């Protein structure tokens, strides 16, 4: 595998203007498949979720899944698309064993949704409009596993196994128009666009939207042109870039690679590229040429899909609040600053904070816990914050204990560790670790006396009205009690002892 | 109990058998066994009819015995038995069945057993009609003579050296040879009607969508239609009533039923009906004997009170050409699944490397016959980038024009009429090397498929020059299948009155059936 030459991203940007385009495949989470009544379930034993239709047995006919149509309309509406009054499926003919009929049933020239847009908010708040050309329905292919060769590739493999469980799973393919004017923010926009699509389909409830499972898959098209030129350059299509980070990296890499090719005076080859997460590079796949003739023609086994305007409007009424609007509302409701809110969004804990507030925490407490405690732990564990295992109930319980003075913040953090270590509920952890705040004033008064005696000059200052100096005494008491004292109560007792009113 | 002998049993119509079964004059086992005996006597061997690719003896007799047991027990279960319960039937081997092989007449599916039943087969089972077996056909229903079957041609019972028509030659010959009272066929461009015409039987292509296609191995999805094959018009109506109706597994099946077809066949009245002769579908290119019988039928209908009008369908001249673009285009895609990966034949290439492409290629090269390959190549070409608009696109436009022609014609006439095929049965081998001559057989039947309208072929007599059966085709507007049965039943009774009995009475005797264990019964003459 040879390594392609690249320019630095900065140099590439100086010389060229990137144009992007995305095809995002969304697997729908319908109960059954696109054209059959077999279950649409991920992760089962190979070839168990199949019936005669999925296997392309002689004589079978497809029947369109109405829920899949409804989900597609939801996606179309959420992407501000027009919904076709009538649309058909077509057959895309090619011989490959992952496709049981040796054709894929897909919409071709008559997509169910078309002419939409999506406003993408970048991390700094800049809004960039991405035009959507179409969203169309199709079926997924089976999964091939090539064995006996190198690197799981079909070339050189001794044999291949086919799992048709995925064959016929409903897909919606969302295709953008060429995205111009992103400039050096192209990689960031790429990531933000895919994230937005993922968020929308998740919010609509039409897909499990797990990129690691292939529920959302992205093909990224990149081309470069010299600044000022209108005509697009020749594009490459990087296939199956299946994480948000990878989308950003792949676009960045392709920009750098194209720039080097153009700089060398060579033409860019129109081709499919494969993304390699380990090296963060792409390699050449299959050259796209006129030889790719899929012989599309209207699927004669299916009647046109004709969504009535009433139905479309009915669906529109049931759409959940769009994520962007929801964010606006939540920011206002929660009273976070711009920066605080953006941090929450970028950390990906919006849902978690909302759930925590619903469970009974205040907005500021919820933010403090998620941003201050959990996000960092998740980063260390290399998982999403939501997947760490902290429930809103745990946070509410912890914050109530702190409020009641049963534990202090430092102890609460330790309790959270205990909960995550599987030691039980916060109350159980507190019990097991013996982490209760010392609330009996007797031992505290002894410690206060000792601290005042140890720092008589500070005690003098406080008596003289410099109440802010109290921290040193409080610190001494906390140290003596190994952090188990309630700092607020300690402060009260010191002031009382010294006869000073705060 | 009145007694009937086996030879007489097999000559009864399905309606007559149903009546005898209901009256308990005969048992379903006796009826089924009589037909199985007939198959054993005339179907096999050098000069056998070869209508059957598989005979389903055990299951057919078991179903028959079940019907007999229910009838004997009486009560509600007996009352609820379907009218045709116990009446045996043959199924074209393009239609999938659990428990019997389904070959589509092709080596590529030899030995394959379907894991599911076609919807029409489920309906036959629900009606408790014993399935006698699977009938021969041109490979994947591609042909007009049944000579393209990978398992040898079927012979025409009227002349064993002649073709029984195609692709459903097996079903038509089985019914004509009294091996079955009823059969299922499929009709993409005439595969039910043309075999009906050349074997002196009745065949109906229902309105597209009138009968579920689920489980009929697709040749051209937008043209294929399952339909009945029988010896009488009423029998076809009875059978269509069993197999018709909406099927949730076939989204092209019509949501509403087509009305009471049996009542239409029993009504039999053409008084005041307008019957349109299609100018373009007779005369030049049609055998004189065919033309004579056709004119005779017109006279009879006129005498019965029908008004004969002439209609013109100028775009029918393009139908054959357009058909031979649309049909192979769809077929090329429908037959892509036969690749040796999941089921059926798998052939490894003789030379390495052993790649998937080469295994698929070797399987298809060995598994498909010439006519199938010819149509796959034609269709693949017609759908190719750069040719699509000129070929497939133009053909679809012709299709629309044909529909317009029908619309205009049905403004002037309630039913249209033509000869079913331009000639009587030709000799085996005569047109095998001339695909175009073979394709011309379907010139009169193709327009109905292109427009989705129903068509019925019934015996119109024997051609003067060769003494072979001639078919008369009736066409009706979409969803008006009842009209075909209404007019067909009248014409049938007028013709039979003229002949002094069914046309098949004039067919030569085939070998004597095996009768040793069957008792002798006395036939009640049917009215």
């Amino acid at each position: 595998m040879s390594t392609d030459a690249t320019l630095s991203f900065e140099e590439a940007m100086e010389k060229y203007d990137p144009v992007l385009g995305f095809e995002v495949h969304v697997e729908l989470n319908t109960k059954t498949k696109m054209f059959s009544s077999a279950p649409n379930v991920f992760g089962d034993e190979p070839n168990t979720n199949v019936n005669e239709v999925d296997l392309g047995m002689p004589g079978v006919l497809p029947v369109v899944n109405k829920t899949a149509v409804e989900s597609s309309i939801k996606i179309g509406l959420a992407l501000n698309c027009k919904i076709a009054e009538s649309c058909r499926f077509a057959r895309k003919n090619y011989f490959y064993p992952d496709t049981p009929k040796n054709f894929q049933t897909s919409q071709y020239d008559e997509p169910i949704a078309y002419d939409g847009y999506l406003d993408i908010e970048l991390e700094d708040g800049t809004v960039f409009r991405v035009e959507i050309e179409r969203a169309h329905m199709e079926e997924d292919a089976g999964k091939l596993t090539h064995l006996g060769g190198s690197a799981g590739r079909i070339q050189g493999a001794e044999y291949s196994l086919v799992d048709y469980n995925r064959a016929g799973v409903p897909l919606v393919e969302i295709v953008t128009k060429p995205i111009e004017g992103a400039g050096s923010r192209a990689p960031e926009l790429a990531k933000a666009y895919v994230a937005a699509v993922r968020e929308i389909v998740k919010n609509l409830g039409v897909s499990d939207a797990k990129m690691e499972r292939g529920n959302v898959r992205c093909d990224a098209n990149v081309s470069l042109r010299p600044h000022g030129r209108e005509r697009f350059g020749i594009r490459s299509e990087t296939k199956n870039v299946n994480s948000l980070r990878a989308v950003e990296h792949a676009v960045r890499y392709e920009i750098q690679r194209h720039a080097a090719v153009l700089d060398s005076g060579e033409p860019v080859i129109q081709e499919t590229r494969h993304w390699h997460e380990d090296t963060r590079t792409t390699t050449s796949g299959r050259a796209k040429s006129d030889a790719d003739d899929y012989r599309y023609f209207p699927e004669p086994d299916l009647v046109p899909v004709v969504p009535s305007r009433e139905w479309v409007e009915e669906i529109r009424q049931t759409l959940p609040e769009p994520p962007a609007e929801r964010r606006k509302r939540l920011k206002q409701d929660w009273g976070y600053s711009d920066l605080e809110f953006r941090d929450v969004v970028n950390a990906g804990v919006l849902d978690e904070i909302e759930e925590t507030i619903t469970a009974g925490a205040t907005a500021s407490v919820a933010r403090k816990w998620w941003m201050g405690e959990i996000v960092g732990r998740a980063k260390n564990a290399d998982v999403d914050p939501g997947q760490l295992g902290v429930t809103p109930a745990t946070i509410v319980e912890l914050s109530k204990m702190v409020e009641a003075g049963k534990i202090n913040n430092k102890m609460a953090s330790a309790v959270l560790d205990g909960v995550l270590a599987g030691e039980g509920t916060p109350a159980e952890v507190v019990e097991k670790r013996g982490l209760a705040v010392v609330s009996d004033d007797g031992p505290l008064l002894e410690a206060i006396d000792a601290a005042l005696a140890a720092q008589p000059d500070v005690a003098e200052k406080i008596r003289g009205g410099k109440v802010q100096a109290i921290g040193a005494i409080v610190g001494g008491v906390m140290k003596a009690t190994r952090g188990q004292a309630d700092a607020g109560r300690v402060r009260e007792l010191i002031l009382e002892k010294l006869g000073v009113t705060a | 109990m009145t007694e009937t002998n086996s030879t007489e049993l097999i000559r009864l119509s399905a309606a007559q058998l149903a009546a005898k079964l209901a009256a308990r004059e005969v048992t379903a086992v006796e009826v089924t066994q009589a037909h199985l005996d007939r198959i054993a006597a005339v179907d096999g061997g050098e000069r056998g009819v070869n209508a059957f690719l598989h005979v389903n003896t055990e299951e057919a007799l078991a179903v028959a015995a079940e019907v007999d047991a229910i009838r004997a027990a009486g009560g509600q279960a007996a009352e609820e038995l379907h009218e045709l319960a116990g009446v045996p039937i043959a199924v074209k081997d393009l239609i999938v069945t659990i428990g019997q092989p389904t070959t589509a007449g092709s080596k590529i599916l030899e030995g394959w057993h379907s894991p599911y039943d076609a919807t029409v087969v489920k309906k036959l089972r629900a009606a408790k009609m014993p399935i006698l077996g699977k009938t021969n056909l041109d490979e994947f229903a591609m042909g007009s003579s049944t000579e393209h079957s990978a398992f040898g041609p079927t012979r025409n019972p009227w002349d064993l050296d002649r073709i029984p028509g195609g692709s459903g030659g097996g079903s038509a010959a089985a019914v004509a040879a009294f091996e079955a009272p009823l059969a299922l066929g499929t009709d993409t461009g005439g595969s039910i009607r043309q075999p009906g015409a050349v074997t002196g039987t009745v065949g109906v292509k229902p309105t597209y969508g009138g009968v579920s296609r689920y489980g009929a191995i697709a040749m051209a999805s937008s043209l294929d239609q399952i339909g009945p094959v029988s010896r009488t018009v009423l029998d076809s109506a009875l059978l269509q009533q069993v197999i018709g109706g909406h099927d949730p597994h076939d989204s092209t099946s019509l949501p509403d039923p087509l009305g009471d077809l049996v009542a239409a066949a029993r009504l039999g009245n053409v008084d005041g009906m307008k019957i349109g002769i299609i100018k373009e579908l007779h005369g030049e290119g049609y055998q004189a004997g065919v033309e004579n019988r056709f004119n005779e039928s017109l006279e009879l209908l006129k005498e019965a009170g029908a008004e004969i009008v002439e209609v013109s369908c100028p775009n029918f001249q393009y139908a054959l050409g357009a058909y031979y673009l649309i049909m192979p285009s769809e077929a090329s895609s429908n037959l892509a699944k036969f690749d040796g990966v999941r089921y059926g034949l798998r052939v490894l290439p003789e030379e390495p490397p052993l790649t998937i492409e080469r295994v698929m290629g070797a399987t298809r090269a060995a598994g498909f016959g010439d006519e199938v390959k010819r149509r796959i190549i034609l269709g693949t070409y017609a759908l190719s980038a750069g040719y699509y608009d000129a070929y497939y696109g133009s053909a679809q436009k012709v299709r629309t024009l044909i529909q317009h022609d029908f619309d205009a014609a049905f403004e002037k006439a309630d039913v249209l009429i033509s000869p079913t095929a331009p000639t009587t049965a030709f000799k085996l081998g005569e047109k095998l090397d001339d695909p175009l001559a073979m394709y011309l057989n379907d010139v009169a039947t193709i327009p109905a498929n292109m427009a989705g309208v129903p068509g019925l072929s019934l015996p119109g007599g024997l051609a003067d020059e060769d003494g072979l059966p001639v078919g008369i085709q009736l066409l009706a507007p979409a969803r008006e299948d009842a009209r075909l049965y209404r007019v067909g039943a009248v014409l049938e009774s007028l013709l039979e009155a003229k002949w002094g009995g069914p046309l098949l009475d004039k067919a030569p005797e085939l070998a004597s059936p095996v009768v040793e264990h069957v008792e002798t019964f006395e036939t009640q003459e049917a009215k």
Side-chain angles (χ1 to χ4, degrees), chain A residues 100-122:
Chain A
K101 301 166 289 183
N102 284 322
F103 61 80
Q104 182 196 29
T105 308
S106 167
Q107 293 197 299
Y108 176 52
D109 50 356
E110 299 182 24
I112 187 150
Y114 58 97
D115 280 355
Y117 64 86
L118 195 54
D119 286 331
I120 306 299
E121 195 175 338
L122 300 181

Side-chain angles (χ1 to χ4, degrees), chain A residues 52-53 55 58 99 157 180 222 282 317 405 414 424 440 497 499:
Chain A
E52 67 262 20
V53 176
L55 293 175
T99 312
E180 303 175 63
V222 173
T282 64
Q317 297 311 316
D440 180 353
K497 183 110 190 165

Side-chain angles (χ1 to χ4, degrees), chain A residues 37 51-64 91 93 95-97 99-103 154 162 164 293-303, chain B residues 96 109 112 115-116 208 213-218 221-222 248-252 329-330 333-334 336-339 341-343 356 360 364 380 383-385 388 392:
Chain A
S37 57
N51 66 18
E52 67 262 20
V53 176
D54 308 298
L55 293 175
M57 287 287 172
V60 298
L61 297 172
V63 176
V64 175
R91 290 187 185 178
N93 294 287
F95 281 87
Y96 204 64
T99 312
K101 301 166 289 183
N102 284 322
F103 61 80
I154 191 166
V162 198
Y164 289 117
D293 184 352
Y294 293 119
R295 305 190 308 281
Y296 281 102
F297 72 104
E299 167 58 272
D301 283 327
L302 292 171
V303 291
Chain B
V96 306
L109 274 179
W112 177 70
Y116 77 105
Y208 184 78
R213 291 184 294 120
Y214 194 73
I217 299 176
S221 311
S222 72
H249 288 294
D250 178 0
S251 60
T252 64
S329 294
E330 293 184 10
S333 175
N334 281 331
K337 60 173 65 165
F338 302 101
D339 61 5
V341 172
R342 287 161 302 277
Y343 47 76
I356 188 75
M360 287 177 171
R364 291 165 67 82
T380 304
L383 289 175
S384 298
Y388 179 90
Y392 187 82

